[in-house]
Each structure stands twice: as structure tokens, then as C-alpha cells.
Amino acid sequence: MLTLTNNDITLQQSASDKITAIKAIAKQLADKGLVAEQYVKGMLNREKQNSTFLGNGIAIPHGTTDTRDLVNKTGVAVQHFPEGVNWGDGNIAYVVIGIAAKSDEHLGILKQLTKVLSADDVEDKLKQATTKDDIIKLLNGDVQFEADFSPALIQLNFPASDMIQMSAVAGGLLKNSGNVENQFVAELVTKDATHLGNGLWLVSGEKGVKRSGMSILTTSETCEFNGFPVKALIAVAACNSSHGPFLNIISQLVFEQQQAKVFSSCVEQLLAIFTTSTPQNIVDSDNVGTFKINNAHGLHARPSAMLVAAVKKYKSVVKVANIDGDNKFVDAKSLMKVIGLGGRHGDSLQFIAEGPDAKEALAGIAEAIASGLSEG
């Protein structure tokens, strides 16, 4: 996990162009002792190969693989450009994150940063930031834009025989994931859950919540509460409004009398239902391809850019997930999302294509990955 401090942040910067900005942030990396002064040549060469602009007002200039011997220690330097820097092709960078990495440690940094910076409101908030703490909170993920929901927050067929036990386990999933404290679990077991119909129940709380999130628990036992059957319990922890999309999906399921989808689905299907970036037809789709990353240093910026370029050749909608990572599907045509997969050497990527040239897209993706994504 990347931990930023005030020493990593420089505010109120200005630059006439991206070359000037890159030279400035390379100097900051060198002044911190992270890299040798010559590292700037690698950063400039890297920019010539492919733009390091990620989107949402963010650029991540870094060196080439053959300049890694000039890195003394993995780290970052962050500069804030409130007036923006023209990064080419109409892209404006407001935050520039210079990266120094000795091997593939930077993939973890990129994964954290891109996950945090992929939310729609981040660009404006970064542009309007006035303090180093504002920048640090945004980059460290302390400002939450999406409520948490992952396989670790799903427990299927638990042998629970009463609602108190269901609430305790559902709350425990959120506690184990770091979303809540004991106070939340204690509150949950004392509250009456709301019956949403057809055996689906909902309980929520706000006490002791550190990050908004949702857990789902189904039971393998015959269970009743207030005279109604209990088949599944959804527990929502809320400390901001980021859980709103989950409630909207739950309301839609109830309206359509589709509550059974919650307690009859597998983990992957539940993620598909509640994670809007996940294709809901993943299980039934024939247009699925799984390919292994052969690049020695994984999906760093350059091969990620090559992969995105290969996908953009096709009209089909293409989603991709890192099976060996968090297994969450993202838009394969978004460079920031692809880098955020954190794909390392040997990881398997699963692609799902939907559209008029879906099969051709998967074939093209397979060829691009097999060719090494410009790295041989």
C-alpha cells in the first residue's frame, strides 16, 4: 500500500507543456534520492513511446525498463497543477504523479492510484484541491466514491438457523474487510431486519462504519423471522452516500419480484448483479477469452496502452478482469482501468466481448497478448 506524506506533494505548480512538467517532477524524484539525475532521460523517452496520460486529469510519467538501474528506491512524487498542463491530444493533467520503480512494485502503486482515481468526481476534486491533505486524502482513497462489495463480503450457504446469527455473520464479513468496527456488529444484531419479500431481508447501520460497503449472506438451513422465511440477508454499512447504487439495484430486484436472484446465485453472479462494471451475462456468454500475461514486468503503462489500442480497433464492448487479482470486470478500452487491474507476469486476464465483431475482437486481443504487447 502506498502511503503518501506531505513531503511527496508539491502544490501550485505551473508548466507551459508536459516536457517542462516531466523535467520538474524528475528533479523532485532525484532530490528525494529516489533516482539518479539521468533518470529524466528515461521518463522523456517513455513519453515519446506512449502518452502517460491516464484520464480524469491524471498523468503518471515514469522511466523505461532499461533505466530501472537508475532507480535507488521505489517511490513517487506528486505535483498539483491547478491551471492544468496540456498532455497532448486535448488531454489536460491537473495532477502529475512521477513514479520511480526498481522492478514491478509500481504495479501495486498504479493499481491503488487508478482504482482511487477512476471515479467520475475525482478530476474536479483534484483540480479544486487547495491543501496537501486534500490531495493525500483523494489519492489514499480516504474519499470514498464507490461502496465496497467483493467476494470477501459474500458468504453462501452458511448454516445459520436464526436472524441474530445471520446478522452477526453478515456484520462480521464487513468487519473482517475493514469496513466497520465491533460497534456496527453489535448494533446489527439488535436491529430488526426488513423483509423485502420472498425470503430476502435487509439490515443496515451507521455506527462504527469506516467505509461504506455491503455484505450478502445466504443460509443452508430452514430459517424464519417474524413468521416469514429467511433465505438471504443483505447488510449495508453506510458512512456516506456511496451505497446508493446498491440500494437502487435492490429496489429494482424487489420491484421485479426477482429476490430469488440473490439467494440462488453464485459469487460471480452476485458480483455481476451489484457491480455495474461487470457484465451480467458473464456465465452464459460464448464470447469469452482467457489469456495469460507473458510480459516480464506485467501490465505496466506501455503494454497496457498497447492492449487498449488493440481493443479499440473493434466496435464491440469489451470487458476484462484479472482472474488472479480482484476478478472485477472493467472497460478494456480505458487505459486507466486496464492499468488498475494490476496484472503481473503469469496472471490470467478474462475478456468478454459483446457486439458485431466480438469474436474478431477476442482473436485480435489474443494475438496482441501473445506477441508481447510491443515488448516481444
Side-chain angles (χ1 to χ4, degrees), residues 31 49 83 162 164 178 226 268:
D31 290 345
Q49 295 171 357
E83 300 302 320
D162 59 64
I164 293 178
N226 290 341
E268 289 78 11

Side-chain angles (χ1 to χ4, degrees), residues 25-37:
I25 207 158
K27 184 178 185 304
Q28 185 175 349
L29 290 171
D31 290 345
K32 292 174 64 176
L34 297 176
V35 301
E37 291 184 2

Side-chain angles (χ1 to χ4, degrees), residues 205-226:
E206 298 178 353
K207 294 181 180 179
V209 179
K210 297 186 289 184
R211 285 182 59 86
S212 292
M214 180 180 72
S215 65
I216 293 180
L217 179 75
T218 68
T219 177
S220 59
E221 303 296 316
T222 300
C223 182
E224 289 189 353
F225 184 68
N226 290 341

